[in-house]
Amino acid sequence: MADKPLYNQDNTEVLSHLQTDASKGLSSSEANKRLEQNGANQLNEAKSTNLVQKFINQFKDLMIAILLAAAIVAAFTGEVVDAIFILAIVIINAIFGVFQEAKAEDAINALKEMSTPNASVIRDGKETSIKSTELVVGDIVRLEAGDIVPADVRLIESASLQVEEASLTGESVPINKSAETLQETDLPLGDRTNLGFMNTNVTYGRGVGVVTGTGMQTEIGHIAGMLEATDETKTPLQANLAKLGQVLTYLILGIAVVTFIVGLARGKETIIDMLLTSISLAVAAIPEGLPAIVTITLALGTTRMAARHALVRKLPAVETLGSTDIIGSDKTGTLTQNKMTVEKLVVNTEISDAATTEELTGTYARLADILALNNDTKRTENGFIGDPTETALIAFNENHGRDLDKLFTEMPRVAEIPFDSERKLMSTVHPAPTGYIITVKGAPDELLKRATRIEINGEIKPLSDDIRAKLLSINSELATQALRVLGFAYKTVDQIPGNLDTETVEQELVFTGFVGMIDPERPEVAQAVAEAKAAGIRPMMITGDHRDTAAAIAIRLGILDEADKETAVISGSDLDAMSEEQFAQNVHKYKVYARVAPEHKVKIVNAWQKKGKVVAMTGDGVNDAPALKTADIGIAMGITGTEVSKGASDMVLADDNFATIVHAVEEGRKVFANIQKALQYLLASNLAEVIAIFVMTLLGWNILAPIMILWINLVTDTLPAIALGIEPAEKGIMKNKPRGRGASFLSGGVGPAIIWQGILQAVIVLSVYGFALAAPVHPEVHLAHQDALTMAFMTLGLMQMFNAINVKSVYGSMIGPQAFQNKMFNWALLGSVIVMAAVVVIPGLNPLFHVSHLDGYQWAIVLVAGMSIIVIVELVKLIQRSIFKKRINNIGKI
């Protein structure tokens, strides 16, 4: 029996297995014993790191370690300025990292805080209130409307009990619960109607249950365990940076070692001189500013996204959105409004749209009265409280301007027969102008069995078999549209019935009409889905709701085509029946997943990730948290979302607007493109520096000193590179397919551009140096060498800044106004040129930077050489566009 699911066991079996008594409950001593054995009814706390640990973790990177080593060597060899600058870059980057980590909420703690403070329990034969954390397996708990279920329970008594489980199962309407033993096996959570789950809400009725699981042994505890076991997914940005850092590190070490050996082999340099030369190479090769540039570019992206209601919790998430292939979205509260709404009316045997039905007269007015009278909704300062279906009926009346206060005053409820799941009806009795009116609502088929007449256009007529068949056909039609249909009827009597039972009250009824309700889609979502598809992104619905409801909403949103309704929709039970291999082979076929559990969502995300796809997952419930954490980017709803879903997410939608995701994707693509531009700019510059120093070393020339390289990198790697991070998006950015997980910062022609532009810059610098030596202004050898080095230094710096204009597009031309649309870039470029020239123009700075004062002739050579990079690159791009026209048709459009 231990292997038999609780929902398949009858009350006697459950109570016997748990060794408890339904009327007396547990004794205090037994409860204390179980509490000591199994622990408190609360969730585990996740481990956390303090600020010091977070700060130390920022330095666990090989590139950072090399920079720190270079700073130490530079300090010991007297290059204190170099050492201070390198350390400053490293520390600033670490502070950025700590700041963004410290802002992240803890999902497990949020789950813990959701625990209900008190529970009504039977102990020692008496009902008492205790802290929910003190509940143990075997406790007998009482549940009433308004309560939060304090633990997982098996119901042993139920009276019209309804529980809202949307945060756990995704079901948008409350579930009717009963104590009856279920015969079906392998039921999903939403269909286990004799079980109650921790932290779900009782919306109606009352019940008694025996606690079957506490703390981490509950369904919500199972989710907490999944969150604990789920590793943070490394984003494409983090993977790209890590891979790039690894490649650069090996290259830097290799070049430094070769240069050191070659320099010593020539016999003209000391070990200290070659050590300083190797440091110069390391400084030249490592893009010290890259981590800061990436962080700043991402931060600027988050600021722009926040203005559009997308709040980013983790900086890399900005870029990840831009590479997204798949968006798996929860339905309830994400694609839909999580608010039941009357959509269709069936009056006078005809279907009409509730929204377009203006004035309610005749039978429409009669139906509206019954909707309001046969209703347990309570009005409060914060809105309506009650069953979502019933609040939708009240909202329908108010939307049509009906005076409900007057109606309730004139026709108060004087008697009732509450709803129960067996007869599927609810009846109320009210005074009427002549006698009393009995209103009845419930399942359409049950209601039509009890109705003998029908009101049509204000007249009461016999309910013929033909009309009854037509109404049942309409009911089926509405059901196929995923509408929840309720029937309404009434009858008038002279006095309140003496026996308030179904045989006396709910017979010989006058049928009035049907109401079709649905949790409607958000109005902006269909357009957002269309835009996502146009951007090459596959939107999917992943929900705990019923298959037909999910399919109908998906069709209305454009996620699913009518023709694919049978093949592209799969349920959680179907998913369980498939092996991992089968699912992996067929995952591309499915667009809608219905009746799924939390582990199914994770399984779906994993399947797509194994195919190399970048997956984004949206959601708002506790049940979404594991998938949000597993996905490459988890997106939680800010208004309707639980703290758990927010804690597990990378980004929160402040307006709960699915369309905001599309804006965020565009921003993510722009951020990636701008990081590519900054990277191309930095690495091409650094490559030029490395080649120039290496060749200078081989030729026995004076080489660029570390302070020169640091100054060039400081001037060129800061303002111009940051300004590239806010370049406007290129045209057609949302028409291209997602670049996917396999793409890198060097894709799209960026890698080759770095190489040939870096080589080109090095050739120009070395040419200027060689020309200055061949045609010196000063006859003295040491002055000629100093002039040549100064001219090479200035050419390298200015050329890098002018090349910043070129990198705005890999293949597109920069001749024209498009090159100067970014005003911040223009000012950054001008300022950098002035600061770069200042170390030569201002005599007092010459000794510090080992440079000489240049005359007009020398400056002319420097300027012509520096600006030649624009002309040469434009010619190369022109040739590329003509040769590879088709290949680059959608790349680099301005």
Side-chain angles (χ1 to χ4, degrees):
M1 188 181 73
D3 296 331
K4 191 176 180 182
L6 286 166
Y7 53 83
N8 292 144
Q9 299 178 29
D10 61 31
N11 292 354
T12 304
E13 288 178 300
V14 173
L15 293 169
S16 174
H17 178 63
L18 299 178
Q19 298 179 18
T20 188
D21 185 276
S23 58
K24 296 180 181 179
L26 298 173
S27 65
S28 296
S29 59
E30 178 63 21
N32 289 333
K33 180 181 176 182
R34 295 187 183 189
L35 184 64
E36 187 175 340
Q37 287 177 343
N38 302 318
N41 179 31
Q42 61 188 25
L43 304 174
N44 295 340
E45 292 188 35
K47 297 177 182 179
S48 60
T49 56
N50 57 40
L51 287 177
V52 175
Q53 291 172 316
K54 286 185 174 72
F55 187 76
I56 292 172
N57 288 338
Q58 304 304 312
F59 296 90
K60 296 178 179 179
D61 182 271
L62 194 53
M63 275 184 67
I64 298 297
I66 290 176
L67 278 174
L68 288 174
I72 292 170
V73 173
F76 275 108
T77 54
E79 302 292 342
V80 178
V81 175
D82 297 20
I84 291 174
F85 179 72
I86 295 172
L87 284 174
I89 289 291
V90 171
I91 292 172
I92 290 171
N93 186 57
I95 291 172
F96 267 121
V98 171
F99 177 73
Q100 69 186 69
E101 277 189 38
K103 288 173 63 180
E105 295 88 6
D106 188 3
I108 301 300
N109 288 339
L111 276 165
K112 180 183 175 184
E113 289 169 6
M114 289 178 62
S115 299
T116 183
N118 291 294
S120 180
V121 62
I122 298 174
R123 291 263 180 96
D124 299 313
K126 299 178 181 178
E127 185 173 344
T128 184
S129 180
I130 65 172
K131 291 182 179 179
S132 63
T133 54
E134 298 174 3
L135 281 176
V136 297
V137 172
D139 265 328
I140 307 298
V141 296
R142 294 191 181 277
L143 302 171
E144 295 182 353
D147 287 348
I148 297 175
V149 180
D152 281 8
V153 300
R154 166 64 162 86
L155 295 171
I156 55 177
E157 293 180 25
S158 176
S160 304
L161 184 65
Q162 294 183 356
V163 181
E164 191 268 309
E165 299 177 340
S167 66
L168 185 65
T169 66
E171 181 66 69
S172 56
V173 295
I175 305 298
N176 294 317
K177 296 289 186 177
S178 73
E180 295 180 1
T181 305
L182 301 177
Q183 302 303 317
E184 297 88 347
T185 57
D186 298 323
L187 291 175
L189 288 181
D191 293 336
R192 299 175 190 179
T193 53
N194 57 9
L195 301 183
F197 305 109
M198 185 177 181
N199 286 334
T200 55
N201 303 298
V202 179
T203 61
Y204 191 82
R206 61 186 184 276
V208 177
V210 54
V211 175
T212 58
T214 60
M216 296 300 290
Q217 302 307 311
T218 62
E219 287 298 330
I220 204 168
H222 175 55
I223 293 175
M226 291 170 67
L227 283 174
E228 282 185 324
T230 302
D231 294 328
E232 290 286 349
T233 304
K234 182 173 283 190
T235 69
L237 173 68
Q238 292 168 324
N240 268 326
L241 286 176
K243 186 176 181 179
L244 178 64
Q246 195 175 39
V247 171
L248 286 177
T249 297
Y250 293 139
L251 284 175
I252 291 163
L253 290 174
I255 292 170
V257 169
V258 170
T259 304
F260 185 81
I261 294 172
V262 169
L264 288 180
R266 293 180 70 252
K268 294 184 179 181
E269 306 288 347
T270 66
I271 292 179
I272 293 296
D273 288 336
M274 289 314 303
L275 192 59
L276 287 173
T277 300
S278 298
I279 291 174
S280 296
L281 272 172
V283 170
I286 296 176
E288 299 95 339
L290 181 60
I293 296 301
V294 170
T295 303
I296 291 168
T297 303
L298 292 174
L300 291 171
T302 65
T303 303
R304 290 191 296 269
M305 290 171 70
R308 302 180 81 168
H309 308 294
L311 308 178
V312 176
R313 297 180 62 249
K314 301 171 184 177
L315 284 182
V318 181
E319 181 276 333
T320 308
L321 268 170
S323 59
T324 299
D325 297 287
I326 308 291
I327 298 179
S329 178
D330 180 50
K331 179 185 76 69
T332 306
T334 307
L335 298 172
T336 64
Q337 300 175 28
N338 197 19
K339 180 177 68 176
M340 292 299 290
T341 303
V342 176
E343 185 166 283
K344 299 289 184 182
L345 300 176
V346 179
V347 178
N348 305 327
T349 70
E350 295 179 349
I351 302 175
S352 62
D353 290 328
T356 58
T357 304
E358 298 179 359
E359 188 177 357
L360 301 178
T361 58
T363 305
Y364 285 98
R366 172 81 73 182
L367 176 63
D369 284 345
I370 299 174
L371 300 185
L373 294 173
N374 196 307
N375 203 303
D376 288 331
T377 298
K378 300 290 188 297
R379 189 200 301 271
T380 69
E381 293 180 356
N382 298 320
F384 298 123
I385 292 179
D387 181 278
T389 300
E390 294 193 328
T391 59
L393 302 178
I394 295 295
F396 169 79
N397 271 278
E398 293 218 329
N399 291 340
H400 285 79
R402 307 191 78 244
D403 189 347
L404 294 183
D405 291 332
K406 180 181 178 182
L407 178 68
F408 295 148
T409 300
E410 293 177 352
M411 304 178 70
R413 186 184 303 184
V414 294
E416 67 178 299
I417 305 178
F419 174 87
D420 70 53
S421 56
E422 290 185 9
R423 73 183 207 289
K424 299 179 181 178
L425 298 172
M426 172 181 172
S427 297
T428 61
V429 183
H430 308 262
T434 55
Y436 294 87
I437 183 171
I438 297 173
T439 70
V440 185
K441 77 175 177 189
D445 52 346
E446 292 295 328
L447 198 66
L448 286 171
K449 290 178 184 177
R450 292 165 168 79
T452 57
R453 292 168 292 169
I454 182 172
E455 183 174 316
I456 299 178
N457 296 320
E459 296 183 16
I460 297 176
K461 300 180 179 181
L463 181 58
S464 65
D465 290 340
D466 289 342
I467 294 177
R468 195 187 309 272
K470 181 179 181 180
L471 290 171
L472 288 172
S473 175
I474 290 174
N475 177 44
S476 298
E477 179 185 343
L478 295 178
T480 59
Q481 299 174 31
L483 296 175
R484 186 181 187 190
V485 185
L486 281 179
F488 296 85
Y490 73 97
K491 72 178 180 179
T492 56
V493 294
D494 296 330
Q495 59 185 11
I496 300 174
N499 295 323
L500 290 173
D501 54 41
T502 186
E503 288 76 16
T504 304
V505 176
E506 297 169 342
Q507 305 294 334
E508 304 295 323
L509 301 176
V510 178
F511 177 80
T512 311
F514 292 152
V515 167
M517 290 174 287
I518 197 169
D519 176 14
E521 68 275 16
R522 294 180 177 275
E524 69 282 346
V525 170
Q527 177 63 26
V529 168
E531 290 179 16
K533 285 184 172 182
I537 299 169
R538 180 189 180 106
M540 300 186 308
M541 179 188 292
I542 305 176
T543 178
D545 219 331
H546 289 284
R547 182 189 182 106
D548 291 342
T549 304
I553 292 291
I555 290 171
R556 289 164 65 153
L557 291 174
I559 293 175
L560 184 67
D561 297 326
E562 184 75 41
D564 297 334
K565 188 165 63 173
E566 298 301 322
T567 58
V569 182
I570 185 172
S571 66
S573 57
D574 295 332
L575 203 55
D576 285 331
M578 298 173 68
S579 67
E580 293 283 347
E581 293 74 19
Q582 286 176 316
F583 181 56
Q585 291 173 0
N586 296 298
V587 66
H588 62 281
K589 296 180 180 178
Y590 308 117
K591 299 176 181 177
V592 176
Y593 295 83
R595 234 46 184 145
V596 295
E599 53 268 29
H600 291 140
K601 296 186 179 186
V602 175
K603 185 177 181 180
I604 295 163
V605 171
N606 284 334
W608 279 111
Q609 287 176 333
K610 288 176 182 177
K611 283 185 170 289
K613 302 297 184 181
V614 178
V615 183
M617 174 69 188
T618 71
D620 65 345
V622 175
N623 58 314
D624 297 318
L628 292 179
K629 190 174 180 183
T630 303
D632 295 287
I633 176 165
I635 308 169
M637 302 296 110
I639 299 173
T640 59
T642 61
E643 287 304 308
V644 183
S645 63
K646 294 175 189 176
S649 70
D650 302 292
M651 188 177 84
V652 178
L653 301 183
D655 59 356
D656 282 16
N657 189 337
F658 185 87
T660 303
I661 299 173
V662 178
H663 302 319
V665 168
E666 181 179 1
E667 191 62 48
R669 290 189 176 190
K670 183 169 75 173
V671 164
F672 181 84
N674 287 348
I675 291 176
Q676 272 192 313
K677 292 168 186 175
L679 187 68
Q680 180 183 342
Y681 170 63
L682 294 174
L683 292 187
S685 301
N686 288 14
L687 179 60
E689 293 166 5
V690 169
I691 294 173
I693 292 174
F694 185 70
V695 173
M696 285 176 168
T697 303
L698 290 179
L699 297 177
W701 291 351
N702 292 343
I703 65 170
L704 297 168
I707 188 68
M708 290 180 170
I709 298 298
L710 259 301
W711 184 250
I712 291 175
N713 289 355
L714 174 63
V715 174
T716 63
D717 289 9
T718 51
L719 292 181
I722 292 172
L724 284 171
I726 59 170
E727 278 291 300
E730 298 183 39
K731 291 180 181 178
I733 197 169
M734 289 298 286
K735 299 296 183 182
N736 298 329
K737 293 181 179 180
R739 61 182 179 275
R741 191 180 299 278
S744 73
F745 285 120
L746 304 181
S747 60
V750 172
I754 289 172
I755 294 172
W756 72 259
Q757 288 176 20
I759 294 172
L760 175 62
Q761 291 180 61
V763 169
I764 294 172
V765 169
L766 292 170
S767 298
V768 168
Y769 188 96
F771 178 80
L773 285 181
V777 173
H778 298 97
E780 295 88 350
V781 176
H782 73 281
L783 290 178
H785 277 279
Q786 191 172 28
D787 284 351
L789 195 61
T790 302
M791 292 171 68
F793 166 62
M794 287 307 304
T795 300
L796 181 59
L798 293 178
M799 186 166 47
Q800 288 184 10
M801 284 180 264
F802 293 137
N803 196 48
I805 298 173
N806 293 324
V807 302
K808 289 187 175 188
S809 178
V810 177
Y811 298 111
S813 173
M814 285 295 108
I815 297 176
Q818 65 268 29
F820 302 101
Q821 289 178 337
N822 183 348
K823 292 182 180 180
M824 181 180 173
F825 175 84
N826 300 338
W827 286 109
L829 192 63
L830 179 62
S832 297
V833 168
I834 292 172
V835 172
M836 184 70 200
V839 299
V840 174
V841 174
I842 300 173
L845 296 177
N846 292 173
L848 179 63
F849 289 92
H850 313 298
V851 296
S852 60
H853 198 73
L854 302 180
D855 62 18
Y857 170 72
Q858 292 169 317
W859 269 116
I861 294 173
V862 167
L863 289 173
V864 170
M867 296 185 71
S868 67
I869 191 75
I870 296 177
V871 178
I872 298 172
V873 170
E874 279 293 326
L875 289 173
V876 173
K877 285 183 181 180
L878 179 62
I879 295 170
Q880 288 177 324
R881 289 196 298 272
S882 62
I883 295 176
F884 305 114
K885 187 175 182 179
K886 291 183 179 180
R887 182 178 173 186
I888 63 177
N889 188 42
N890 290 321
I891 301 177
K893 293 181 180 178
I894 304 302

